[in-house]
Amino acid sequence: MSNTFLAIGECMVEMAPTGEGTYAMGFAGDTLNTAWYARKCLPESWTVSYFTAVGQDQISDQMLQFLGDSEIDTAEIRRLEDRTVGLYMIQLKDGERSFAYWRSHAAARRLAADADHLKAALDKAGLIYFSGITLAILPPEERKVFLSGLREARQRGAQVAFDPNLRPRLWESTEIMRACVTEAAGVCTLVMPSFEDELAHFGDPTPKISAERYLAAGADMVVVKNGPEDVICATKDAQTTFQPDPVRNIVDTTAAGDSFNAAFLAEFLISDDINASVDAGARLAGNVIQHRGALVDSLVPA
Ligand code: AMP
């Protein structure tokens, strides 16, 4: 198997308030967060690569520079002449955060527009990671191209891992979101949902039902995260539960699921041991939520 961990999706410019009318610029996105933590968790013998589309302008150059500085390979990223990257702004009111987005014309929406280019990137990967947001931003025809590329990758023996990360506002309708996410689960070796989303948008009464639904869709294994509650790992033949250690000092739960996925997958690729993988995922996520922000530099997984 190839030693390339390939994450696919949208990285955005983030504007975070620093004071009265001033903002700090950064880069963020769910699949990028997972790639960033995977780079920290995997040994140097693994390449962590990101696949998306960006523009040819200065801010796109800066995004690629940020990825490169984070030791994430950017060689396969598409560069489009007529588009640029998406942006979101964090707004604070009475201590509550809300988000304003400018992403409807983002370059990342065209990441699967060139089927040959996409296939070349997929062919190099031992593990491919994507999310429901990756799917949501694609035009319907290009979702088909994307899923058929993943199907082929799974057939040739690659791991295909998917976090449904359900965000109905990004989709044409909730029905289309449910149908596409179910179809996507069917091309995956591993589906990694957060129960809070599955309860809200599929109406699953328990995490066990979420796991069974994704197994029935065609996934080989499902790992259901549930905040401080048990993580469930299920295959058609077996089901196990793991209790994450309690975290008392929660500061910011941003990227809990993304970091869990990264540490879980890194350990799974190295040891193929489910217990050790959940333990690594829960330990990293438990640390990340004790710090502010999505990408916490000081955390080196033990
Ligand atoms: P979530 O996506 O919110 O279900 O969280 C992903 C993972 O982060 C969980 O499976 C836990 O390992 C960890 N996590 C999230 N919230 C908490 C919490 N309140 N206490 C302990 N661990 C947590």
Side-chain angles (χ1 to χ4, degrees):
M1 185 177 69
S2 142
N3 276 12
T4 295
F5 180 116
L6 176 70
I8 306 180
E10 180 174 20
C11 178
M12 302 177 78
V13 177
E14 177 192 85
M15 303 301 289
T18 51
E20 196 58 42
T22 58
Y23 291 82
M25 194 188 84
F27 297 103
D30 63 337
T31 47
L32 180 270
N33 298 342
T34 299
W36 193 87
Y37 282 110
R39 179 59 289 170
K40 294 202 173 287
C41 296
L42 281 164
E44 274 180 23
S45 55
W46 276 80
T47 299
V48 174
S49 187
Y50 197 64
F51 186 79
T52 186
V54 300
Q56 297 183 359
D57 53 349
Q58 196 180 340
I59 188 67
S60 300
D61 287 344
Q62 279 178 259
M63 184 179 281
L64 296 190
Q65 178 79 43
F66 165 77
L67 292 168
D69 290 347
S70 307
E71 293 174 26
I72 295 170
D73 170 56
T74 59
E76 301 296 338
I77 292 179
R78 299 187 72 209
R79 302 214 60 178
L80 308 177
E81 232 178 296
D82 55 342
R83 296 217 179 189
T84 186
V85 292
L87 177 147
Y88 69 93
M89 184 178 274
I90 302 173
Q91 298 162 317
L92 279 177
K93 194 175 179 193
D94 304 328
E96 288 291 315
R97 290 177 0 142
S98 65
F99 299 85
Y101 290 96
W102 292 263
R103 75 191 307 184
S104 57
H105 197 64
R109 292 184 176 255
R110 307 310 313 280
L111 67 83
D114 181 338
D116 293 337
H117 189 126
L118 175 68
K119 186 174 164 11
L122 295 177
D123 279 349
K124 293 186 190 137
L127 181 138
I128 298 156
Y129 176 80
F130 71 108
S131 79
I133 295 177
T134 314
L135 285 179
I137 62 170
L138 300 180
E141 278 310 305
E142 290 165 28
R143 274 180 206 145
K144 288 187 193 148
V145 171
F146 183 65
L147 291 185
S148 103
L150 296 180
R151 208 172 280 119
E152 272 178 37
R154 184 191 192 181
Q155 276 159 7
R156 70 164 165 79
Q159 294 280 349
V160 181
F162 170 48
D163 185 337
N165 220 341
L166 304 169
R167 298 290 176 271
R169 279 198 302 179
L170 287 178
W171 291 86
E172 301 91 306
S173 71
T174 307
E175 291 68 34
I176 291 175
M177 173 182 79
R178 289 198 202 108
C180 287
V181 162
T182 303
E183 188 185 349
V187 306
C188 292
T189 54
L190 191 50
V191 179
M192 314 182 76
S194 287
F195 180 62
E196 192 183 9
D197 288 350
E198 306 303 312
L199 170 67
H201 305 302
F202 275 96
D204 294 338
T206 63
K208 185 168 176 278
I209 301 282
S210 305
E212 285 167 359
R213 184 169 49 71
Y214 285 122
L215 289 173
D220 293 335
M221 181 161 70
V222 183
V223 178
V224 189
K225 297 155 283 174
N226 191 11
E229 306 297 326
D230 284 356
V231 177
I232 291 186
C233 293
T235 63
K236 284 213 162 57
D237 307 317
Q239 199 181 95
T240 24
T241 57
F242 305 84
Q243 173 71 62
D245 285 340
V247 177
R248 262 170 236 104
N249 181 29
I250 299 175
V251 174
D252 177 3
T253 57
T254 307
D258 303 335
S259 57
F260 178 101
N261 294 348
F264 177 99
L265 291 169
E267 180 62 37
F268 189 62
L269 287 167
I270 302 300
S271 71
D272 200 22
D273 178 331
I274 298 292
N275 280 307
S277 304
V278 178
D279 189 52
R283 242 176 327 124
L284 179 59
N287 265 321
V288 167
I289 63 179
Q290 295 179 58
H291 297 78
R292 196 161 294 290
L295 306 179
V296 184
D297 236 337
S298 58
L299 298 180
V300 180

